[in-house]
Amino acid sequence: MRIIAKRLPPDQLISLLLTMFEALGDPEKNCSRAATVMINCLLQERGGVLQEKVPEIVSVLRSKLQEAQGEHILPAAQHSVYLLATQHCAAVVSSLLGSPLPLDSHTAMLWRALAVEPRLAAQVLGLLLEKMSRDVPFKESRAFLLGRTPDRVATLLPLSATCALFEVLSTPAAGPAVLELYPQLFVALLLRVSCTVGVQLPRNLQAQERRGASPALAARNLEPCSSAVDTLRAVLLRSGSEDVAQRMDLEGGWELLRTSAGHEEGAARLARAMAEHAGPRLPLVLKTLACTHSSAYENQRVTITAFLAELLNSNVANDLMLLDSLLESLAARQKDTCASVRRLVLRGLANLASGCPDKVRAHGPQLLTAMIGGLDDGDNPHSPVALEAMLGLARLVHLVEAWDLRSGLLHVAIRIRPFFDSEKMEFRTASIRLFGHLNKVCHGDCEDVFLEQVVGGLAPLLLHLQDPQAAVASACRFALRMCGPNLACEELSAAFQKHLQEGRALHFGEFLNTTCKHLMHHFPDLLGRLLTTCLFYFKSSWEDVRAAAPLFTGEQHPLPRPHAAQQPCLMPPLHRVPGAARGAQAAAAGGPGSAHFGAPDPAEGPGPRGADQGCG
């Protein structure tokens, strides 16, 4: 047979092969087996001259598998495809990618035949990764471009390559090749997942899905994002990262990755699982990810940033000496055009507080600059980047050098003040809690300019104790407890500590009465400003806050100023409360003192309208 194979003229070779393929289905098993032997011999000896005939041969093999019933036919076809791929790998891969979707079970088995030898498997995986990334992942319909309905349709080549990857990865023999290409496979599939969230199947495939697949079709979800998630999971399983896959299973991470609403969290959970169970593989993964920060697809930049940000929440970043590279990667994304990317950058930088708290001081200036810049992000008065900046600052201010914080302290306090009355609960909570943290780090070292902000914030904090949202009221309790020591009045600070402990029931009227007595007794020059601020809340959109405003005003009865020698708690000297001593009368009259502190027009109450104006 070898002599025939070697001497057969090229124009007769393909004719003989096609005849032998027909004989594979011969009911006489001996004839079928003889055909198998001849096919193998011909492909081994002369396969090198068959490159142009590869599509035809693959097509004939697929047809024969669908027609014939013999058990021996599938192994024979698999071996033929394997022999052909060892000589014309790219042509075989391209021909198999032309198979219709969803893949039938026979085509799936032909893909798996390409994984039996590690070197060939690595070559096939590399080609499939190239095919998956070469074409655009989806096309936008005219309706989507006109803003009518979100209609992004998957392109066929990347979808086919993803399905083929899954079949190759399902073969245990592919393990060594997967380990060799682990970083490229992981990153490419994570990017594939991110850019297929919400992407639909082409209409012809949607119709097939609705009709239901035939028994001969491989039982797999063809939906673009789900197929990518399944393939990414297969990479983890085949590479020995079973613990990562199982952690994602238990936490619902795979389901989150599939959805628009949960995708960021899914990427973060994947990062946590990788940090905990596959840390040694992260350096090469990050090296591969370094090339993706300029991706043209916004979803991909969001996914990668969420993944990187979460890694900083673990000490693995420091243990593997990845900290500097992670910080550099996030810094490169600070000016991204996508607000979600900028928000996630700030989250990642703040995660340093929990992942590597001992490294925060060394990177303090960089972290504070990024957070303070986030407070001024864009023109949106309720920018999610600003919210993330406030949450991040609250985690970092206790860990940075006091000198680094002092230079930006006043700007932060002024910038967050309008958010106290934001219509959005998350902004009220974050800004007020951050104000409390700023006061906490200033205990014993509160400068005059910051003390003015403390004094200006007293009335809003006291009134928002009646906020309809429990989280906001809780933040006010914390902030007032932290403000107390900076007011240099032991009685007032003690009252805050006594009445405003978390979990303790608050009798608001009694507490307000006690607080106002201390304020009138020790800080009579503040009353004008407090009254002016209270007038603003008479038209608050929050009923309980609106009701508290006149109650607060009524408690502020004017008293004769006690002689300094009779005061049990000395009022801070003029240089300690500059606005209180020098601007109270102006504030009461709505003059410059009021303008300096940003006191709103009493005709406009806090809430949706006032909040928008204050943040603009």
Side-chain angles (χ1 to χ4, degrees):
M1 188 62 209
R2 289 181 181 276
I3 296 175
I4 296 175
K6 290 179 179 179
R7 295 182 178 275
L8 195 66
D11 58 331
Q12 296 179 20
L13 177 60
I14 187 63
S15 299
L16 180 58
L17 269 175
L18 295 177
T19 302
M20 292 300 102
F21 287 144
E22 289 295 327
L24 285 176
D26 196 297
E28 178 56 51
K29 290 186 178 180
N30 288 334
C31 291
S32 180
R33 287 171 183 156
T36 300
V37 172
M38 292 183 69
I39 290 170
N40 292 340
C41 185
L42 289 170
L43 291 177
Q44 285 176 336
E45 295 296 331
R46 301 291 299 278
V49 300
L50 294 172
Q51 182 170 359
E52 294 182 359
K53 299 296 182 180
V54 168
E56 183 180 357
I57 294 172
V58 171
S59 178
V60 169
L61 284 172
R62 288 188 60 255
S63 300
K64 188 54 60 181
L65 285 171
Q66 293 171 358
E67 296 169 3
Q69 303 296 323
E71 296 178 359
H72 62 286
I73 297 178
L74 178 59
Q78 286 181 298
H79 192 61
S80 297
V81 168
Y82 163 74
L83 289 174
L84 206 56
T86 58
Q87 300 166 83
H88 307 291
C89 186
V92 171
V93 167
S94 294
S95 299
L96 284 173
L97 284 174
S99 305
L101 293 176
L103 297 177
D104 59 56
S105 58
H106 298 125
T107 305
M109 295 305 293
L110 293 180
W111 277 115
R112 296 184 184 196
L114 302 182
V116 295
E117 194 272 317
R119 184 177 299 178
L120 177 61
Q123 194 176 354
V124 170
L125 290 174
L127 287 168
L128 288 175
L129 285 178
E130 181 187 347
K131 300 286 187 183
M132 188 177 70
S133 307
R134 177 187 296 175
D135 199 1
V136 295
F138 56 80
K139 291 183 178 179
E140 294 174 338
S141 69
R142 182 178 178 82
F144 179 80
L145 295 174
L146 294 174
R148 295 174 185 169
T149 56
D151 189 11
R152 289 179 169 177
V153 179
T155 48
L156 275 178
L157 181 59
L159 182 59
S160 296
T162 305
C163 295
L165 274 171
F166 180 86
E167 300 303 335
V168 176
L169 294 167
S170 299
T171 307
V178 174
L179 289 174
E180 179 184 340
L181 296 172
Y182 183 90
Q184 296 94 317
L185 285 165
F186 182 90
V187 170
L189 286 165
L190 183 57
L191 293 175
R192 172 69 183 168
V193 170
S194 68
C195 64
T196 54
V197 175
V199 173
Q200 302 176 10
L201 283 171
R203 290 184 180 177
N204 61 319
L205 294 179
Q206 289 182 35
Q208 290 184 36
E209 290 270 300
R210 286 192 293 268
R211 288 196 298 267
S214 69
L217 298 179
R220 285 196 61 237
N221 190 343
L222 194 58
E223 190 269 323
C225 189
S226 292
S227 66
V229 168
D230 292 344
T231 308
L232 177 58
R233 185 176 183 276
V235 168
L236 296 174
L237 293 174
R238 190 58 61 212
S239 63
S241 298
E242 294 91 348
D243 290 342
V244 177
Q246 290 171 4
R247 176 78 175 270
M248 289 287 284
D249 290 338
L250 292 173
E251 294 186 351
W254 300 122
E255 292 305 316
L256 289 171
L257 275 176
R258 290 178 168 93
T259 64
S260 298
H263 183 78
E264 280 182 21
E265 177 59 25
R269 292 188 186 186
L270 179 59
R272 285 199 296 271
M274 289 289 290
E276 184 174 344
H277 300 293
R281 289 182 173 164
L282 285 173
L284 289 177
V285 168
L286 294 184
K287 186 177 180 180
T288 307
L289 280 174
C291 304
T292 66
H293 74 272
S294 58
S295 169
Y297 297 101
E298 186 177 285
N299 286 355
Q300 291 184 345
R301 302 199 305 274
V302 169
T303 301
I304 297 307
T305 309
F307 185 86
L308 296 176
E310 188 59 31
L311 290 180
L312 282 170
N313 210 15
S314 167
N315 59 9
V316 73
N318 192 41
D319 293 344
L320 297 175
M321 295 183 290
L322 299 174
L323 182 58
D324 289 340
S325 63
L326 281 170
L327 290 175
E328 288 175 9
S329 293
L330 290 177
R333 293 167 162 80
Q334 278 184 264
K335 301 299 182 181
D336 196 281
T337 56
C338 174
S340 292
V341 172
R342 300 195 300 275
R343 170 175 55 80
L344 288 167
V345 166
L346 297 184
R347 180 177 300 176
L349 296 177
N351 280 343
L352 200 62
S354 50
C356 307
D358 56 319
K359 301 295 182 180
V360 171
R361 184 165 293 185
H363 298 278
Q366 174 191 357
L367 299 175
L368 291 174
T369 299
M371 296 296 161
I372 293 172
L375 290 176
D376 300 318
D377 183 86
D379 298 325
N380 180 3
H382 290 110
S383 166
V385 182
L387 176 61
E388 198 68 52
M390 290 188 285
L391 295 172
L393 279 168
R395 300 170 64 186
L396 293 169
V397 291
H398 303 287
L399 299 173
V400 299
E401 288 277 11
W403 176 256
D404 292 333
L405 179 62
R406 187 173 290 115
S407 61
L409 190 65
L410 180 62
H411 175 80
V412 173
I414 293 174
R415 183 64 185 85
I416 67 175
R417 173 62 185 85
F419 291 121
F420 285 14
D421 299 308
S422 168
E423 65 183 29
K424 294 184 179 292
M425 180 270 290
E426 297 85 356
F427 283 80
R428 300 201 302 279
T429 303
S431 59
I432 291 171
R433 194 162 287 278
L434 173 56
F435 191 70
H437 284 290
L438 295 177
N439 273 273
K440 185 177 180 179
V441 297
C442 288
H443 285 176
D445 188 25
C446 187
E447 296 184 353
D448 295 345
V449 288
F450 181 71
L451 187 59
E452 284 197 23
Q453 302 305 313
V454 177
V455 171
L458 279 178
L461 294 177
L462 289 167
L463 293 174
H464 275 289
L465 286 170
Q466 294 297 91
D467 196 281
Q469 296 293 335
V472 179
S474 175
C476 288
R477 287 181 178 234
F478 168 75
L480 286 167
R481 292 200 310 272
M482 297 303 104
C483 288
N486 290 330
L487 293 171
C489 175
E490 292 184 4
E491 285 88 345
L492 188 59
S493 181
F496 288 167
Q497 296 298 328
K498 175 183 177 182
H499 292 279
L500 300 178
Q501 290 298 323
E502 289 298 326
R504 172 171 179 163
L506 177 66
H507 190 290
F508 184 69
E510 178 184 335
F511 166 71
L512 200 58
N513 179 270
T514 301
T515 300
C516 287
K517 285 181 179 178
H518 290 305
L519 289 173
M520 289 186 294
H521 189 63
H522 302 300
F523 310 126
D525 291 333
L526 293 181
L527 297 184
R529 183 182 308 163
L530 292 175
L531 286 168
T532 301
T533 307
C534 282
L535 291 177
F536 170 54
Y537 289 91
F538 272 55
K539 292 189 177 182
S540 170
S541 60
W542 299 296
E543 182 178 352
D544 291 340
V545 174
R546 188 168 65 246
L551 181 63
F552 188 12
T553 305
E555 294 288 354
Q556 299 176 54
H557 298 294
L559 293 175
R561 183 172 182 174
H563 191 275
Q566 298 175 342
Q567 286 185 243
C569 173
L570 292 176
M571 173 184 172
L574 291 181
H575 74 276
R576 289 285 289 148
V577 191
R582 297 190 293 271
Q585 297 302 319
S594 174
H596 175 73
F597 283 88
D601 185 342
E604 295 291 349
R609 186 174 179 184
D612 285 346
Q613 291 175 342
C615 300

